[in-house]
Amino acid sequence: MSKLEKVTEEKRRILQATNKMELETWRNFLDIPLTLTVELGRVKMTVEKILDLQLDSVIALKRSSAEGVDVMVNNQCLAHGEILTIEDRTGVRINEIVIPKIK
């Protein structure tokens, strides 16, 4: 085995060990419960308007029904999707995964 092959093999071993350590580190986080929220839309209302709400009131959203919904985790958008009805249950089909902006 040449010197270059030995270096390459050593790098491969180091990468494998690093990947295993990273995987073990992530395993510690996999059982943490998070709240996932599906958001249909948002609207700002004054206190007066909120107090005027009653049975059968309609709240107009700024989003069209064709735009779908946002899937949120910790108030950050994770995905976009559409509402589905399966038998008597409601669900969300994920149409796009959103890559978060790193601050």
Side-chain angles (χ1 to χ4, degrees):
M1 185 180 285
S2 73
K3 189 173 185 177
L4 180 60
E5 289 173 330
K6 286 180 183 177
V7 169
T8 304
E9 179 64 23
E10 184 63 25
K11 282 184 178 180
R12 187 183 63 76
R13 285 190 198 137
I14 290 170
L15 282 173
Q16 284 179 336
T18 302
N19 288 341
K20 285 180 185 176
M21 289 184 339
E22 287 176 357
L23 182 60
E24 288 303 315
T25 300
W26 277 107
R27 285 180 203 247
N28 295 329
F29 294 97
L30 296 179
D31 290 335
I32 296 174
L34 298 173
T35 300
L36 187 126
T37 305
V38 176
E39 185 175 282
L40 181 60
R42 289 183 185 202
V43 64
K44 288 187 178 185
M45 297 175 77
T46 64
V47 172
E48 180 181 13
K49 295 273 185 189
I50 292 170
L51 292 174
D52 285 343
L53 292 174
Q54 53 191 311
L55 199 59
D56 294 328
S57 291
V58 175
I59 300 170
L61 301 174
K62 294 179 181 178
R63 172 183 250 165
S64 77
S65 59
E67 288 183 69
V69 296
D70 293 330
V71 179
M72 314 284 284
V73 175
N74 199 24
N75 219 22
Q76 296 289 319
C77 186
L78 174 72
H80 302 297
E82 61 185 288
I83 300 289
L84 296 177
T85 302
I86 304 168
E87 296 178 16
D88 63 337
R89 309 294 306 266
T90 302
V92 176
R93 173 184 288 140
I94 303 296
N95 295 330
E96 178 187 2
I97 302 294
V98 176
I99 298 171
K101 295 176 186 172
I102 298 174
K103 295 179 183 178

